[in-house]
Amino acid sequence: IRRDLGAIIEAGIKCVQPSAILPKKIKYDGRATLTIKDVKYRINNNVHIIGWGKEAVMTSTTFERMLGKQVKRGFMVVPRRSISLMWSYPAAFPKLDSRITFIEAGTDGQPDEKTVEITRKIANYCKRLKKCDLLIVMLSRDVDDLLCCPRDTITLKNKLRVLNRLKATNATPEEINIVRNKLSAIRGGDLARQAYPAKVVTLVMSDVSAEPSEQLGGGPCVYDPKNRRALAILAKYELVDKVSQSVRELLGEFNPRISAADGRLDERKRYKFVQQCVLACNDDALEGMATQVLKLGLSPIRLNPTGAGTVDEFAQEYAKIASLMILAAEGKITKLEMYEQMKESPVCPLTDRQVWEMFPTGDKWGLGLCLVLGGRPTVRLGVRPGKGGPNQELALRFALYWYTRTRQYPILRGYTVWFAGGSSRGKDGNTGAAGAFGYRSLATDVHPEYEKACNVHRAALLEWRRLIEGKHGESEIAEAGRAVRDTEEMRERYATVLPERILQENNANLFFSCVNKGDELLQLKGADYYALADIGDLHVIRIARYQCNCSGACHVDEDGIRADRD
């Protein structure tokens, strides 16, 4: 089961890598026509590539290999240490005669003067483009530390101070983006303004959806009027008097800057010469996962690829939908009842049509079902969080919720239900693992062992006290004392991996490292390769009836009901 679930997650990750997704989304006839999402461009050594972010490394090198000498020049701004990582995977190697320059910038997730210098250089380069040129802009997620170029009248320090103060007031992401765009010389459509009259295509990696978001990648090619909304936001949070005079003057500019590009807006206020294209997203990954599920002889059901919420919400909803699928297969609930249960799910809402299509029947069940999903669950960190990640914590919480469900509905124990969650970038949180597996008995087996260790320690302590009170020999008492210390150490070892304590301390990696010799951790092949992509987290729930030739006695638990054989 672990091997199959790992293969499903890995298939989803592989299919969104640039070397796999670019030939599917972008077509080049080898002569003079480039087709991107049904839009054709005439090219003749007039393609210019710029980009920001670690995913842009492989995207740009793959793109250049496709187009060859049609690429005239390119600049890629990547996080520090990305270039050394690039050389660890052959598919990321640039051509020997590559026309792309890679520049590392940013420090500890924050923009630095190198970031500003190279971004300004790229902006000036774009100003020289002509109408016959085609500018390809490649953007990764979370490029705030790389896509940074303050307006000439303020410094980088001024800009960061304003944004940090806004974040401290719990301003919304939209409000922060409005202020950031106003202070920037490249965001909020300024890159498109500078590149005009050249045609512009923006390629992005997204964990949101297949439709481009206005603020995805900072919106450098998305129109923003840059009016006085930013000043109103600072006034809302009482920050106007806490910023420098130069920042106040910039935010207070009344007349928006008008450029020739702003005269090329459509009715939706989008630039007519700019094409926005999501190169890869979670939905693409789910397609690859579903294909792998079919290869394994299971029936795939694709659900929400962009779930959002806390890890606990994900775990509850995943356990609920898994139980509903089984109850439906057993004829215990109707389509309407399933719809009522899931229509307002915060993580995986289902429409009536989706319920109708996925409602399990005997002919659809086969060897089992696999629900493939995705999203980006959030973890609420404690004061001193340990090692872990959202997928590992989700697997543990799912195991706990699924155990509770099987106690409520004994009929669920006639099925084997496993969860697997993995990060598309190959590293879950601050750990080296990609994710983890979860099943019914994963978390509950720790408690009996802990109780056993407590009993052994209690017995050793009583024996030590008895020897002292009976004034036995010193060597005998010392031996009993060592037994007390040893059993106390064993008890504490089990106590540290109790699920409740693990979740409270955000230390899920410790739990999975200790259980079954680390077998429940999801490890993917070629970690360096996967570190260059991030389109969100991928999840799969495998549901299967027991496949056994015996009478079922091997699965009977303490209640005389078939139990999950993990």
Side-chain angles (χ1 to χ4, degrees):
I1 294 176
R2 296 180 186 88
R3 183 185 65 249
D4 289 348
L5 294 181
I8 293 169
I9 297 287
E10 193 162 352
I13 295 174
K14 283 183 177 179
C15 74
V16 296
Q17 296 305 308
S19 57
I21 200 73
L22 265 172
K24 290 176 62 177
K25 298 290 183 77
I26 298 175
K27 304 295 182 182
Y28 173 49
D29 66 357
R31 295 185 296 275
T33 303
L34 181 67
T35 305
I36 302 176
K37 208 173 181 180
D38 299 326
V39 179
K40 297 184 183 296
Y41 297 93
R42 296 284 296 177
I43 58 175
N44 183 20
N45 191 30
N46 61 339
V47 179
H48 308 260
I49 306 176
I50 60 174
W52 290 264
K54 59 184 179 181
E55 282 91 351
V57 174
M58 282 189 64
T59 307
S60 61
T61 55
T62 304
F63 192 83
E64 186 180 24
R65 280 196 295 272
M66 285 179 60
L67 268 64
K69 294 183 179 180
Q70 298 286 15
V71 175
K72 190 170 185 178
R73 195 78 174 88
F75 299 94
M76 290 290 138
V77 187
V78 299
R80 298 195 186 277
R81 296 185 294 277
S82 294
I83 295 177
S84 60
L85 180 62
M86 175 179 68
W87 291 113
S88 65
Y89 185 69
F93 290 0
K95 296 173 57 182
L96 292 177
D97 58 347
S98 175
R99 299 179 181 183
I100 300 175
T101 301
F102 295 91
I103 308 100
E104 292 185 341
T107 304
D108 298 326
Q110 291 293 325
D112 53 18
E113 292 301 333
K114 181 71 172 179
T115 307
V116 177
E117 177 189 348
I118 186 59
T119 302
R120 184 164 284 127
K121 179 180 178 180
I122 292 174
N124 290 332
Y125 177 84
C126 292
K127 291 177 182 178
R128 300 195 296 269
L129 298 180
K130 300 176 181 178
K131 188 175 182 178
C132 61
D133 289 320
L134 175 63
L135 177 66
I136 305 294
V137 182
M138 299 178 176
L139 299 172
S140 306
R141 291 187 62 260
D142 301 328
V143 291
D144 292 344
D145 59 329
L146 300 176
L147 185 64
C148 182
C149 184
R151 295 274 295 278
D152 293 337
T153 56
I154 63 172
T155 65
L156 174 62
K157 189 175 181 180
N158 289 150
K159 179 181 177 180
L160 294 179
R161 186 181 292 118
V162 174
L163 296 178
N164 289 335
R165 284 178 173 170
L166 258 183
K167 292 174 183 177
T169 63
N170 293 322
T172 67
E174 182 182 2
E175 290 173 328
I176 294 173
N177 276 327
I178 290 172
V179 175
R180 182 186 281 119
N181 287 352
K182 181 74 172 183
L183 300 175
S184 174
I186 198 164
R187 291 173 179 262
D190 277 347
L191 180 60
R193 293 183 178 103
Q194 291 154 357
Y196 184 77
K199 297 179 181 66
V200 180
V201 178
T202 302
L203 303 177
V204 296
M205 293 280 191
S206 169
D207 64 341
V208 181
S209 69
E211 291 300 320
S213 168
E214 290 188 358
Q215 291 303 332
L216 206 56
C221 299
V222 178
Y223 173 74
D224 184 333
K226 296 203 173 187
N227 50 28
R228 300 185 71 177
R229 291 181 301 166
L231 185 62
I233 291 170
L234 259 64
K236 173 183 175 181
Y237 294 102
E238 300 179 350
L239 294 176
V240 175
D241 295 332
K242 298 179 181 178
V243 299
S244 66
Q245 179 66 26
S246 58
V247 170
R248 281 199 299 272
E249 291 176 356
L250 176 56
L251 295 178
E253 283 183 350
F254 181 73
N255 294 320
R257 292 173 295 149
I258 303 296
S259 69
D262 291 338
R264 297 292 314 281
L265 294 170
D266 61 18
E267 64 278 1
R268 294 185 297 172
K269 294 293 183 181
R270 293 182 177 180
Y271 290 118
K272 296 179 181 179
F273 61 94
V274 174
Q275 180 188 3
Q276 302 274 1
C277 178
V278 173
L279 188 60
C281 65
N282 245 343
D283 206 26
D284 295 308
L286 261 59
E287 182 179 348
M289 293 168 67
T291 301
Q292 181 64 27
V293 170
L294 286 171
K295 291 179 180 178
L296 294 171
L298 303 170
S299 300
I301 297 179
R302 290 172 59 182
L303 297 177
N304 188 13
T306 57
T310 65
V311 168
D312 193 65
E313 289 174 332
F314 269 75
Q316 288 190 60
E317 293 303 305
Y318 283 0
K320 181 167 75 172
I321 193 170
S323 62
L324 290 175
M325 292 296 290
I326 294 174
L327 293 174
E330 294 288 338
K332 302 299 182 182
I333 61 171
T334 64
K335 293 184 178 73
L336 179 60
E337 288 172 324
M338 177 181 278
Y339 170 68
E340 290 294 333
Q341 287 280 330
M342 296 302 299
K343 66 179 181 180
E344 296 181 358
S345 168
V347 173
C348 187
L350 298 178
T351 64
D352 54 352
R353 181 170 182 174
Q354 285 177 307
V355 171
W356 182 272
E357 292 175 348
M358 66 182 282
F359 200 77
T361 58
D363 60 322
K364 288 184 180 179
W365 198 267
L367 295 177
L369 300 178
C370 275
L371 311 180
V372 290
L373 314 96
R376 198 171 285 275
T378 57
V379 177
R380 292 173 179 167
L381 297 178
V383 179
R384 299 180 64 183
K387 289 188 67 176
N391 290 289
Q392 292 168 60
E393 187 164 320
L394 175 53
L396 180 54
R397 288 183 182 273
F398 175 85
L400 291 169
Y401 280 119
W402 185 247
Y403 176 80
T404 302
R405 284 263 170 179
T406 59
R407 304 300 295 179
Q408 294 173 338
Y409 306 101
I411 196 172
L412 302 180
R413 299 179 216 171
Y415 291 76
T416 302
V417 177
W418 277 57
F419 166 84
S423 168
S424 62
R425 67 186 184 93
K427 291 187 177 181
D428 186 36
N430 59 356
T431 73
F437 304 100
Y439 47 85
R440 189 174 79 96
S441 62
L442 172 70
T444 55
D445 284 351
V446 177
H447 286 280
E449 296 299 325
Y450 173 67
E451 291 297 328
K452 189 187 299 182
C454 288
N455 292 334
V456 172
H457 173 67
R458 193 178 299 112
L461 187 61
L462 290 174
E463 176 65 12
W464 176 66
R465 288 175 178 172
R466 186 186 69 79
L467 294 176
I468 292 177
E469 292 171 357
K471 298 182 179 180
H472 287 251
E474 291 184 4
S475 60
E476 196 174 356
I477 293 174
E479 182 68 25
R482 283 192 292 272
V484 170
R485 290 191 295 273
D486 290 343
T487 56
E488 183 178 18
E489 182 181 339
M490 179 63 69
R491 182 191 64 178
E492 184 57 28
R493 194 178 302 165
Y494 279 107
T496 58
V497 293
L498 288 174
E500 298 79 8
R501 180 169 171 178
I502 286 290
L503 293 173
Q504 185 179 8
E505 297 175 353
N506 302 118
N507 209 10
N509 188 254
L510 173 63
F511 175 87
F512 285 102
S513 298
C514 295
V515 172
N516 295 339
K517 299 180 181 179
D519 286 345
E520 311 310 341
L521 283 170
L522 175 62
Q523 304 284 1
L524 301 179
K525 301 173 184 177
D528 291 344
Y529 170 64
Y530 298 112
L532 293 172
D534 185 7
I535 48 90
D537 295 329
L538 306 177
H539 305 141
V540 55
I541 303 171
R542 179 186 181 275
I543 308 171
R545 290 190 181 96
Y546 285 118
Q547 304 292 326
C548 185
N549 294 325
C550 74
S551 61
C554 62
H555 304 310
V556 175
D557 68 2
E558 69 275 9
D559 297 326
I561 301 173
R562 288 187 178 184
D564 197 358
R565 185 175 63 179
D566 301 316

